[in-house]
Amino acid sequence: MPIHTILMIEDDRFIGEMYVRSLKKAGYDVTWMVDGNDGLIAARNKTYDVILMDVMLPERRGNDILEALRGKEDLIPKSKVIVLTNFEQDDESRMAMEKHADGYLIKAEITPSKLIDIIAQLDKTE
Amino acid sequence: MKKSSGLAHDFWPRFRTGAILIVLGVELLILLLTAAVLLYFEIFENNLLLAIAILVGQAVLGILSTTIIMLYAVQPTKHLLAAIIHISGEPTNLTPPNPNDPRYANNGFKEVLQTLYELDSRRQNIDAPTSAGPAVVPTTDPLRLALDTTDCGFVVMDHTRHITYANRAAPVNIGEDGKGSLQLIFNGQDNLASWLDECDKTAVHSEKTWSRVPDRLPDAEGRRFFDVIVSYNKGATAETVIALVDRTKLYEIGEGELDFIAFAAHELRGPITVIRGYVDVLQGELEQYLQPDQKELFHRLTVSANRLSGYVNNILNTSRYDRRHLVLHLSEQTMLSIYNLISDDMALRASAQNRLLNVNIPTDLPTIAADPSSLSEVMGNLIDNAIKYSNEGGSIFVKAEPKGDMVEFSVTDQGIGMPSNVIGNLFQKFYRSHRSRETVAGTGIGLYVSKGIVESHGGTISVRSEEGRGSTFMVDIPTYASVAEKLKAGDNNTGLIDQGRGWIKNHSMYRS
């Protein structure tokens, strides 16, 4: 099934709006959550094709969300997770997140069009 | 008074030549005398062949005895001289003789050398007024007690670099074989082992200090930091004495700075993300309405935002490297695939600043063991410099080619170049040449951190430059084939290669 629905958990308004705008223009159905708790609840309630997740989030950090979703058992087997962060994590935390994620990107290193390319690539590897 | 300007090592060639000439001369004289006697008394008149045989035999014996004489009489002189030359501090490429050499132990020369070296250390003690002897000579027990009470570590090693003494505070690991090993994490090539190698070759007495050396990896429980002071005395029972001053309290504060830098980078990257993102979005959406000069302005915006983000990475990497936090994930890569990570950005950067970028990276080069994002940052730094230090309209050549067990990536510009006195300092932190300070923007961490990254790959970075003609920076990275075994053997606890992701835990940064 091709990727269509995207859940984005991102607290920065400018960055969030920018990605939502571009992803919608590219034809995706985007749900945007601003804090970590709401993000986790949304991810549990509905199956998304892709989850874009920040690390430094209010209420609940990205690594905790990922741990809750994929730590003990995989609650989201049908979703792809891309960690999108600008925070330079220490190596251990980063590796821990990479273990449970399908991608790990530094936001400052990519543009919205690059992000769309990457999602399209995930689609191909499906 | 006229002072002789001769050096001690000038004596050796003269002495050797003299010795050889005298001995050979005497041999020849004896040979001639024998021949004369044989002829005069007509002893072998009827058997000329026997006479010649005797003479030849004598000549052979002569050569043999010359060799033995040289070995026993002249060789010790050479070694004595070498020791004296080293003590005097004269420049030399002679190896100072090691008293622990087994041949010296047998013939008693060991004692001679030890006496000589001890005399020298006594002289040095007198020279240094601060190192006054203790008022009371302590017996062993109180001394040991005191050493075990202090927070400073003391370690003594013999000439085979086995630890013969370590006090309680010393960061020493006792292995299964009962042998201790020093637990210190040096940064790259500048480590104790390589310094001792150097001492073995060239020094009699030497001392060196390293600061901020941790004993464990970041985040390990009870991690300590030391300033390490090492003294080396060739041939002494305690050849290497290491004093470790525990500076954990002082440097721990610095460790917090990494957090600060990580948070600062996070704050900087937020706006960069938005600028880069919207420039990209706007350029795409406005493409058909933009005039050529307006498109050029967009290119400049993109290039500037990209450079900003590269610069944040340089800061982060420098901070990590300085604190031994830089860990690379080496995996099998090609130069081309790594360059492709930044190729678009570089092409735009060059064209926006009116430089011609010529890239020639063949597809069939051997694979290398590399961390893609770090190595691409190095490439970006070198190309950035080539743009900065060359002239408008100039060409920049980016090349890769095999070189033994390495693949060499090089960046050549036809810019202003550098005088040789600048090159020596080029890879130092915050170094900016006098001229570049005035004319070119920058901070002087790009090459410093590039060197750190390249050396952490087990590679080398070097430069060739001619003033007014341009510079070439060369980065040599080991081929994957040459290090694959080492990478697989380097780490036992994680299985090292996680096939799914191709991560390889690299410990080259953590060699002690």
Side-chain angles (χ1 to χ4, degrees):
Chain A
M1 208 180 70
I3 289 170
H4 181 61
T5 56
I6 296 177
L7 169 66
M8 188 176 67
I9 317 173
E10 167 65 66
D11 66 320
D12 187 297
R13 215 185 103 215
F14 283 8
I15 295 176
E17 277 177 8
M18 180 173 82
Y19 287 152
V20 169
R21 186 176 183 276
S22 293
L23 289 169
K24 280 190 172 162
K25 274 194 173 245
Y28 294 106
D29 177 6
V30 190
T31 308
W32 175 16
M33 292 294 163
V34 173
D35 84 49
N37 268 339
D38 294 346
L40 178 59
I41 292 163
R44 274 183 174 155
N45 286 345
K46 196 182 146 193
T47 304
Y48 293 90
D49 299 330
V50 171
I51 299 174
L52 302 175
M53 184 185 294
D54 193 7
V55 177
M56 298 287 271
L57 286 163
E59 304 297 331
R60 196 185 280 263
R61 293 269 191 115
N63 44 324
D64 294 334
I65 303 174
L66 202 54
E67 188 63 31
L69 290 173
R70 280 192 168 164
K72 285 198 189 101
E73 54 173 318
D74 193 351
L75 301 176
I76 46 166
K78 286 181 180 161
S79 309
K80 303 270 188 193
V81 177
I82 299 177
V83 178
L84 273 173
T85 181
N86 270 333
F87 185 63
E88 199 71 12
Q89 284 184 293
D90 61 73
D91 225 61
E92 236 164 78
S93 325
R94 180 179 169 145
M95 300 265 274
M97 286 196 84
E98 277 172 347
K99 207 168 70 184
H100 292 308
D102 302 281
Y104 189 105
L105 301 168
I106 301 291
K107 283 185 276 191
E109 303 280 302
I110 57 159
T111 57
S113 55
K114 190 85 194 279
L115 179 64
I116 290 165
D117 285 350
I118 290 164
I119 293 173
Q121 267 175 32
L122 280 181
D123 218 359
K124 269 188 219 151
T125 57
E126 183 75 326
Chain B
M1 200 172 81
K2 196 180 161 196
K3 201 186 168 215
S4 159
S5 62
L7 293 169
H9 68 238
D10 294 339
F11 171 69
W12 170 245
R14 283 212 321 256
F15 175 74
R16 187 182 47 189
T17 320
I20 291 174
L21 284 180
I22 288 170
V23 173
L24 283 178
V26 171
E27 300 283 351
L28 202 64
L29 202 66
I30 294 172
L31 202 63
L32 287 174
L33 275 175
T34 315
V37 167
L38 288 178
L39 276 175
Y40 187 77
F41 291 103
E42 300 177 347
I43 293 173
F44 293 108
E45 198 182 0
N46 299 324
N47 198 342
L48 200 63
L49 212 61
L50 192 64
I52 292 172
I54 287 179
L55 288 177
V56 169
Q58 204 193 352
V60 169
L61 277 177
I63 291 169
L64 206 68
S65 61
T66 311
T67 318
I68 294 171
I69 290 170
M70 291 304 275
L71 224 61
Y72 277 87
V74 181
Q75 206 63 9
T77 315
K78 181 186 180 185
H79 293 154
L80 267 180
L81 204 63
I84 290 170
I85 286 170
H86 273 278
I87 290 170
S88 74
E90 265 181 36
T92 173
N93 44 19
L94 281 176
T95 318
N98 187 340
N100 294 309
D101 197 315
R103 19 176 210 160
Y104 298 149
N106 292 337
N107 66 13
F109 191 61
K110 175 182 180 166
E111 278 70 29
V112 177
L113 276 176
Q114 268 174 344
T115 312
L116 204 58
Y117 288 154
E118 265 166 36
L119 277 173
D120 182 44
S121 35
R122 230 179 286 168
R123 179 184 61 109
Q124 289 192 341
N125 284 346
I126 295 164
D127 287 350
T130 46
S131 61
V136 186
V137 179
T139 58
T140 317
D141 282 339
L143 182 61
R144 268 186 192 259
L145 203 67
L147 284 173
D148 279 336
T149 318
T150 173
D151 283 341
C152 290
F154 288 96
V155 176
V156 178
M157 294 200 283
D158 65 9
H159 69 281
T160 61
R161 301 196 196 161
H162 279 144
I163 292 178
T164 52
Y165 171 77
N167 71 343
R168 207 170 283 174
V172 168
N173 246 357
I174 307 294
E176 281 172 12
D177 53 356
K179 283 179 186 156
S181 63
L182 205 56
Q183 204 183 11
L184 288 176
I185 298 168
F186 288 90
N187 228 0
Q189 318 288 331
D190 182 24
N191 58 39
L192 179 62
S194 62
W195 181 73
L196 286 176
D197 288 343
E198 193 60 38
C199 285
D200 278 345
K201 272 186 238 142
T202 60
V204 173
H205 302 287
S206 198
E207 199 174 285
K208 183 165 164 105
T209 306
W210 286 267
S211 55
R212 200 188 191 112
V213 184
D215 64 338
R216 285 164 218 200
L217 295 182
D219 303 319
E221 192 83 3
R223 189 178 194 223
R224 289 189 291 165
F225 288 92
F226 298 95
D227 284 349
V228 182
I229 305 153
V230 185
S231 67
Y232 174 89
N233 285 286
K234 191 181 292 296
T237 323
E239 189 168 82
T240 308
V241 180
I242 305 168
L244 302 113
V245 187
D246 191 325
R247 298 271 192 193
T248 313
K249 281 203 178 105
L250 184 71
Y251 294 140
E252 238 175 8
I253 303 165
E255 283 299 291
E257 278 169 28
L258 182 71
D259 278 338
F260 166 74
I261 289 171
F263 277 102
H266 179 243
E267 295 305 308
L268 284 169
R269 276 171 166 176
I272 294 173
T273 309
V274 178
I275 295 169
R276 265 185 105 164
Y278 276 134
V279 165
D280 185 51
V281 167
L282 279 177
Q283 198 185 355
E285 292 180 5
L286 299 176
E287 188 75 43
Q288 46 185 319
Y289 311 108
L290 288 176
Q291 303 300 313
D293 60 329
Q294 290 172 319
K295 276 185 194 165
E296 190 49 42
L297 299 185
F298 266 104
H299 286 162
R300 288 187 184 172
L301 277 174
T302 309
V303 166
S304 303
N306 292 0
R307 282 181 60 189
L308 206 52
S309 118
Y311 189 57
V312 169
N313 290 339
N314 269 350
I315 295 177
L316 280 166
N317 281 330
T318 303
S319 159
R320 291 174 146 190
Y321 179 67
D322 283 350
R323 286 170 178 71
R324 281 84 164 162
H325 277 271
L326 184 72
V327 180
L328 300 179
H329 304 282
L330 300 188
S331 58
E332 189 170 9
Q333 302 287 340
T334 63
M335 272 297 175
L336 190 61
S337 68
I338 294 178
Y339 182 73
N340 281 340
L341 294 174
I342 56 163
S343 57
D344 291 347
D345 190 22
M346 292 302 126
L348 190 64
R349 225 177 265 200
S351 76
Q353 306 196 52
N354 200 15
R355 307 288 195 279
L356 297 169
L357 192 63
N358 301 285
V359 183
N360 180 14
I361 305 178
T363 46
D364 57 350
L365 288 173
T367 56
I368 51 173
D371 180 288
S373 68
S374 308
L375 193 58
S376 68
E377 278 162 25
V378 173
M379 294 173 171
N381 279 332
L382 296 184
I383 295 171
D384 227 25
N385 278 347
I387 292 175
K388 265 191 217 165
Y389 296 101
S390 61
N391 308 313
E392 190 92 354
S395 287
I396 291 161
F397 299 90
V398 176
K399 269 198 320 195
E401 55 198 359
K403 199 180 164 193
D405 270 354
M406 305 263 187
V407 176
E408 186 171 271
F409 174 86
S410 66
V411 179
T412 304
D413 67 61
Q414 298 168 330
I416 57 176
M418 291 166 282
S420 53
N421 63 329
V422 168
I423 293 176
N425 300 318
L426 208 56
F427 295 100
Q428 281 174 26
K429 195 173 172 184
F430 302 132
Y431 179 77
R432 316 247 7 253
S433 73
H434 177 69
R435 197 176 40 189
S436 69
R437 256 200 306 266
E438 286 166 3
T439 55
V440 184
T443 48
I445 62 170
L447 286 176
Y448 170 77
V449 75
S450 295
K451 180 171 188 269
I453 290 172
V454 170
E455 286 182 352
S456 304
H457 276 84
T460 57
I461 188 166
S462 54
V463 60
R464 221 177 16 230
S465 186
E466 206 182 322
E467 212 175 354
R469 302 290 294 273
S471 312
T472 300
F473 282 84
M474 291 148 287
V475 167
D476 290 13
I477 299 291
T479 59
Y480 185 75
S482 71
V483 294
E485 287 306 309
K486 227 191 300 178
L487 285 171
K488 283 174 196 160
D491 193 344
N492 308 323
N493 43 24
T494 61
L496 195 66
I497 301 181
D498 178 349
Q499 292 294 348
R501 294 182 177 279
W503 291 132
I504 298 178
K505 186 89 177 154
N506 168 48
H507 275 222
S508 74
M509 275 316 289
Y510 297 133
R511 266 184 312 224
S512 52

